[in-house]
Amino acid sequence: LNVLINQQRQQQQQQQQQQQQQQLLYWQQLLSQNNSTATPAQNTNQLAAAAAAATQQQQQQPGTAANQHRTTRMVWDASLHLRFQRAALSLGVDQVTPKALLQALQEPWLSRENVASHLQKYRWVSQRTIPNHRV
């Protein structure tokens, strides 16, 4: 019985690591595409395709018992992320607050917690992808 439990835990950990790696790759692609010379329409199409693929891959993975009691996860699509990024950069990533970003995005279904979490992750990814750069 202990062997089965350990195997299940290892599988769950591997799945979590794969999801984290996929998310990190997704954010790195977002940042690199925003710095490319492609037109905004091309960037939006590419980001939407990448977001759709990531969402579909996450939906195909079966949920564990622990995840079944959580609230629905908010998914940032490419166009919303681009609006978030533009607002954050215009307000100053270092000084911007989730509340100010929420007002700039003007989306009634977004919560301050959604924006705060996304801002935290955006800052973290920005620091990791650009060496010796503080956002």
Side-chain angles (χ1 to χ4, degrees):
L1 183 62
N2 287 337
V3 172
L4 291 175
I5 293 172
N6 287 336
Q7 287 176 346
Q8 257 186 336
R9 286 182 185 159
Q10 288 175 348
Q11 288 175 347
Q12 288 175 351
Q13 288 174 348
Q14 288 173 351
Q15 287 177 349
Q16 288 174 349
Q17 288 173 351
Q18 288 173 348
Q19 286 177 343
Q20 289 171 350
Q21 288 171 353
Q22 289 171 354
Q23 289 174 350
L24 183 58
L25 179 62
Y26 170 74
W27 288 107
Q28 288 172 341
Q29 288 173 348
L30 278 177
L31 290 172
S32 66
Q33 287 176 356
N34 287 337
N35 294 331
S36 70
T37 57
T39 65
Q42 290 171 334
N43 280 341
T44 302
N45 290 339
Q46 291 172 351
L47 292 174
T55 303
Q56 182 180 14
Q57 204 167 33
Q58 287 176 354
Q59 289 173 350
Q60 290 175 351
Q61 295 176 350
T64 62
N67 291 338
Q68 291 174 354
H69 297 292
R70 292 184 182 177
T71 58
T72 304
R73 181 172 168 259
M74 192 267 175
V75 178
W76 287 76
D77 65 357
S79 62
L80 184 59
H81 176 73
L82 287 176
R83 288 179 44 216
F84 168 89
Q85 189 176 25
R86 287 182 188 131
L89 292 174
S90 69
L91 296 171
V93 178
D94 284 339
Q95 302 87 356
V96 71
T97 63
K99 189 173 181 179
L101 275 173
L102 187 60
Q103 290 173 348
L105 291 173
Q106 296 179 353
E107 290 290 345
W109 51 270
L110 273 177
S111 70
R112 191 200 65 78
E113 289 79 14
N114 293 141
V115 176
S117 174
H118 195 67
L119 178 61
Q120 183 178 24
K121 188 170 186 178
Y122 178 76
R123 287 174 175 163
W124 181 78
V125 169
S126 297
Q127 289 173 359
R128 288 183 51 95
T129 56
I130 305 171
N132 300 325
H133 175 73
R134 295 217 22 112
V135 177

